[in-house]
Amino acid sequence: MIDRRHALAGMAALFSAPLFAPIARAAGLAGAAPRPVVSEGPPSVQVFTPAQRRLMTQLSERVLPTTDTPGAIAAGVPGYIEKLLADWALPAERIPILAGLDGIEARCRQDYGISATQASPDQQDGLLTAAMNAQFGGGAAFFEAFRQLVITGYYTSEIGMTQEQEYLPVPGEYHGDYLYSKVSKVYTA
């Protein structure tokens, strides 16, 4: 059985920036006593408007697109993001995400004259790059938090742990002479 909280705690070391507070809180790393994990059911509050939800979904797939393995949408990342923001984020901690989505929408309308959900994948990549490079207000704060949400959502999902990585709940026997050139995936436990 894959334990998402354990996987979240392991993910914390991957980010060079400070961990987005709701992720740290959900992993039990925030210093405060963690709340009980509620992984089933819908989010406790509605975080996104329908337009923001569509945009967040499309942008999550731009961060981790489908290649030879399933992407963010197939791994359930958009639902994870909304659940985490609804149940683990303080209202003020949602602001960078919501403001960033609104900033991307405004920038897309300014640059391309269309809604960001109608933008091409290349245009959406450009919008994410503009956010990453702080080319509009709140863009950098949005990008770092959003990137962390997408990556933790993906790599703590069943798809991320079993199809992108090799999941070995109980490692097999030790082979000290195993050639590194034969390793094809990163192993997690």
Side-chain angles (χ1 to χ4, degrees):
M1 182 72 154
I2 298 171
D3 179 354
R4 197 166 211 160
R5 179 173 277 175
H6 178 72
L8 275 173
M11 292 290 301
L14 293 178
F15 298 109
S16 59
L19 197 59
F20 187 45
I23 297 170
R25 194 173 297 115
L29 302 174
R35 298 185 322 216
V37 176
V38 180
S39 59
E40 299 297 321
S44 61
V45 296
Q46 182 177 332
V47 175
F48 301 110
T49 66
Q52 288 172 328
R53 186 175 298 107
R54 281 190 304 276
L55 180 57
M56 178 269 300
T57 298
Q58 290 178 2
L59 293 178
S60 70
E61 187 73 11
R62 298 310 312 146
V63 173
L64 276 168
T66 298
T67 57
D68 58 334
T69 56
I73 293 172
V77 170
Y80 165 84
I81 290 172
E82 188 152 15
K83 180 81 170 160
L84 189 85
L85 291 176
D87 297 347
W88 292 96
L90 301 174
E93 293 166 341
R94 298 177 191 138
I95 291 172
I97 301 297
L98 299 174
L101 291 170
D102 292 343
I104 285 176
E105 179 66 26
R107 180 70 182 258
C108 189
R109 289 192 182 276
Q110 172 191 318
D111 291 356
Y112 306 116
I114 58 175
S115 171
T117 58
Q118 298 171 329
S120 71
D122 287 340
Q123 290 169 327
Q124 289 178 344
D125 289 348
L127 293 165
L128 284 170
T129 300
M132 178 181 70
N133 293 329
Q135 294 176 349
F136 60 86
F142 161 79
F143 182 80
E144 183 55 36
F146 186 70
R147 180 182 73 90
Q148 287 185 23
L149 287 167
V150 172
I151 290 171
T152 56
Y154 185 81
Y155 285 103
T156 61
S157 72
E158 186 172 351
I159 284 176
M161 291 181 117
T162 62
Q163 293 182 40
E164 179 74 21
Q165 300 179 33
E166 190 71 29
Y167 179 69
L168 293 175
V170 179
E173 54 190 80
Y174 175 72
H175 295 283
D177 60 347
Y178 192 78
L179 296 176
Y180 186 74
S181 61
K182 292 184 178 185
V183 174
S184 62
K185 291 186 177 181
V186 175
Y187 290 84
T188 89

